[in-house]
Amino acid sequence: MADARYADRLDVDDLASAAGLSCAHFSREFRRAFGESPHAYLLTRRLERAAALLRTTDRPVAEICFAVGLRSVGSFTSSFARAYGVPPTGYRAWFPPAAAYARIPTCVLRAYGRPQYSTFREDNRGGPA
């Protein structure tokens, strides 16, 4: 659930409820299975998704923060810097701009690559066929 719905406003109570366990029991079992608390796990998934968006889009940092389910840009920036060693804007600067990743479909390239003022059989208009 946490991996699929990381952008939702989830908390440990929601996760425990989905698992059909008490919050305390869920937290203990989660830590035993994954080696970290449910909150830390969810934050890690959100930061990983934010890092991917910073690498591949030009969306503003605040928009990315809210898109991954975090509620405070300041907390996002500090958590991101703690996890990646640099703030989000510094991380983004390490990668080529998102426009470098833009793919243009072949049909669009062909349509815009054709001569603008030429159509089929246009060169035969004034003379004999």
Side-chain angles (χ1 to χ4, degrees):
M1 180 172 157
D3 290 325
R5 295 181 48 202
Y6 65 87
D8 293 351
R9 292 184 181 239
L10 296 174
D11 58 19
V12 178
D13 290 333
D14 296 326
L15 298 173
S17 176
L21 302 171
S22 73
C23 192
H25 185 65
F26 175 78
S27 292
R28 276 192 309 275
E29 292 304 314
F30 192 97
R31 185 180 294 275
R32 187 181 346 210
F34 294 99
E36 61 185 341
S37 71
H39 176 74
Y41 182 87
L42 187 55
L43 179 61
T44 300
R45 298 296 79 75
R46 287 173 170 162
L47 292 176
E48 288 171 350
R49 181 63 183 141
L53 290 170
L54 287 165
R55 286 190 309 269
T56 60
T57 72
D58 289 330
R59 293 167 69 180
V61 171
E63 186 179 315
I64 290 173
C65 167
F66 300 126
V68 299
L70 297 170
R71 298 177 184 140
S72 162
V73 176
S75 295
F76 166 61
T77 300
S78 352
S79 296
F80 193 93
R82 196 170 31 256
Y84 288 90
V86 292
T89 52
Y91 181 82
R92 175 177 270 163
W94 289 348
F95 299 93
Y101 297 108
R103 292 185 181 200
I104 302 171
T106 305
C107 60
V108 173
L109 286 174
R110 287 184 182 149
Y112 283 92
R114 292 183 183 134
Q116 283 187 330
Y117 302 108
S118 167
T119 61
F120 183 67
R121 297 189 186 183
E122 182 175 72
D123 48 16
N124 291 333
R125 278 195 179 180

